[in-house]
Amino acid sequence: MSRIEHYASRLAPNVAPINAIFIARHFNRVFGRRPRPPQDPEADYHDFLVDRMSRGSWSSTQLRCVDKEFAKLDASKLHPAIKAAETVAVIPIRGMSIDRFTEAMGPYLGRHFVAKPTHGSAATEFLDARPDLTKLYRAGRYNYFYSFRESQYAPLERKIIIEENIAEHGSDLRDFKFFCSFGRILFVQVDANRFIEHERILLSPPDFEPLNLTLGAFKPTTTWVRPKQFEALCHAAQDLSRPFDFVRVDLYEKAGQVFFGEFTFTPGAGMEPFSEPDFSRRLLSEIKARPDCPAR
């Protein structure tokens, strides 16, 4: 996004026709065309995602599940056996100066915690590894709606959540991302070495063997070893996704236990292409298979 576009996005109201204009510009850069309505026979998964971004007709449950502070509470209701990283503190950041923020973060520095915004993606800082508090402060104050007009982020309170780091010192947990519709697993994305040399593999049900395609510009994983708790991961993803026409459920596995990560309703802001466009079209067909899916 150019500086002019970003400035315009900050000024433009959150209404569907204006959102669609901004989104179409991003979409055209990635896919070389304008988005299609989800009902169009030629539409695909990415058209579906950017349509829901622009419309912004999110339920109160979806908005609550986007907020990382409350998502864990809702996840525990949907799947009581799920574990989650303990919330150590939540710091509302709206109107807070950088000096006050730095002071508020002081008691948690040097400890095996992570800190990140509750209302957006990325921007994770590890508090036992010289965190960049200025970067975290700016990320916490930023409204992620401005970047790609993902309308679910627009109304959220801006906060920093501090959690226990469930990964061992010097290690990185594999991230299991289940793309689901009303409790059905559509496919699974497994990310490893996310903070070093990001690797990714896609798996397809029912046997969950690797797919010969990629999503986004990440190095394909060369080896795939299914964890012993994979069935438990699948069961958790099914329970957690059951209320939603589409959601990505992020989970981790550690010491035989399944941990909740987050809910995501517009993965990659709809801008991460598959290496095989036909897969994207088939994916939307599966999402629309339920008669109560609003994209039909």
Side-chain angles (χ1 to χ4, degrees):
M1 178 188 286
S2 70
R3 290 186 177 181
I4 294 175
E5 281 182 309
H6 191 269
Y7 181 71
S9 183
R10 294 177 72 98
L11 297 178
N14 177 19
V15 293
I18 293 177
N19 292 344
I21 292 170
F22 281 97
I23 290 168
R25 291 180 63 85
H26 295 302
F27 197 90
N28 186 61
R29 292 189 188 106
V30 176
F31 297 98
R33 64 173 177 84
R34 293 183 61 83
R36 302 182 179 105
Q39 297 79 15
D40 189 309
E42 296 299 314
D44 62 21
Y45 157 82
H46 300 95
D47 296 303
F48 165 74
L49 290 185
V50 298
D51 176 74
R52 69 192 335 213
M53 285 163 53
S54 64
R55 286 187 295 106
S57 54
W58 304 103
S59 69
S60 58
T61 300
Q62 286 173 315
L63 291 177
R64 181 178 168 88
C65 286
V66 174
D67 186 311
K68 292 180 175 63
E69 178 184 2
F70 301 120
K72 290 188 283 189
L73 301 176
D74 283 36
S76 66
K77 295 176 183 176
L78 291 167
H79 188 74
I82 200 78
K83 303 291 183 182
E86 180 184 353
T87 298
V88 177
V90 177
I91 302 175
I93 200 169
R94 188 180 183 92
M96 180 179 282
S97 69
I98 180 64
D99 290 336
R100 282 182 57 206
F101 176 70
T102 301
E103 182 181 357
M105 290 294 298
Y108 312 106
L109 299 180
R111 304 177 68 178
H112 197 53
F113 297 152
V114 296
K116 54 193 173 185
T118 59
H119 55 286
S121 59
T124 299
E125 291 290 329
F126 297 89
L127 301 189
D128 55 356
R130 296 184 179 180
D132 187 336
L133 294 186
T134 300
K135 180 180 176 182
L136 182 64
Y137 172 75
R138 289 173 178 168
R141 287 171 56 86
Y142 183 66
N143 190 332
Y144 285 80
F145 166 69
Y146 298 143
S147 294
F148 292 100
R149 308 296 285 193
E150 292 177 273
S151 50
Q152 69 271 34
Y153 294 132
L156 298 185
E157 182 183 1
R158 281 165 253 182
K159 302 169 289 185
I160 295 294
I161 188 169
I162 300 169
E163 301 175 322
E164 64 168 333
N165 186 351
I166 62 173
E168 300 296 336
H169 287 275
S171 68
D172 180 35
L173 296 174
R174 281 190 298 181
D175 195 349
F176 296 86
K177 300 178 182 291
F178 289 81
F179 291 67
C180 303
S181 175
F182 292 123
R184 282 186 306 125
I185 298 172
L186 305 173
F187 74 97
V188 186
Q189 168 187 321
V190 184
D191 290 293
N193 301 320
R194 291 168 300 148
F195 304 104
I196 307 172
E197 294 184 10
H198 196 148
E199 296 181 338
R200 174 176 292 175
I201 192 171
L202 306 183
L203 311 172
S204 178
D207 54 3
F208 294 102
E209 290 299 317
L211 285 163
N212 188 27
L213 61 107
T214 58
L215 173 61
F218 296 98
K219 179 181 176 182
T221 301
T222 54
T223 58
W224 160 241
V225 179
R226 186 178 304 189
K228 293 180 180 179
Q229 294 299 314
F230 192 73
E231 185 175 341
L233 287 161
C234 291
H235 181 54
Q238 290 168 330
D239 281 353
L240 294 171
S241 65
R242 215 171 296 281
F244 307 114
D245 63 331
F246 173 79
V247 67
R248 193 189 78 197
V249 179
D250 294 4
L251 302 173
Y252 304 94
E253 183 271 335
K254 177 187 175 183
Q257 294 184 312
V258 176
F259 283 78
F260 173 74
E262 62 181 79
F263 294 104
T264 302
F265 294 99
T266 55
M271 304 295 168
E272 283 190 320
F274 290 101
S275 58
E276 296 291 338
D278 284 347
F279 182 82
S280 184
R281 286 189 283 271
R282 292 197 303 271
L283 192 57
L284 179 57
S285 295
E286 292 190 55
I287 294 171
K288 292 165 65 174
R290 281 276 296 256
D292 50 349
C293 178
R296 287 174 63 90

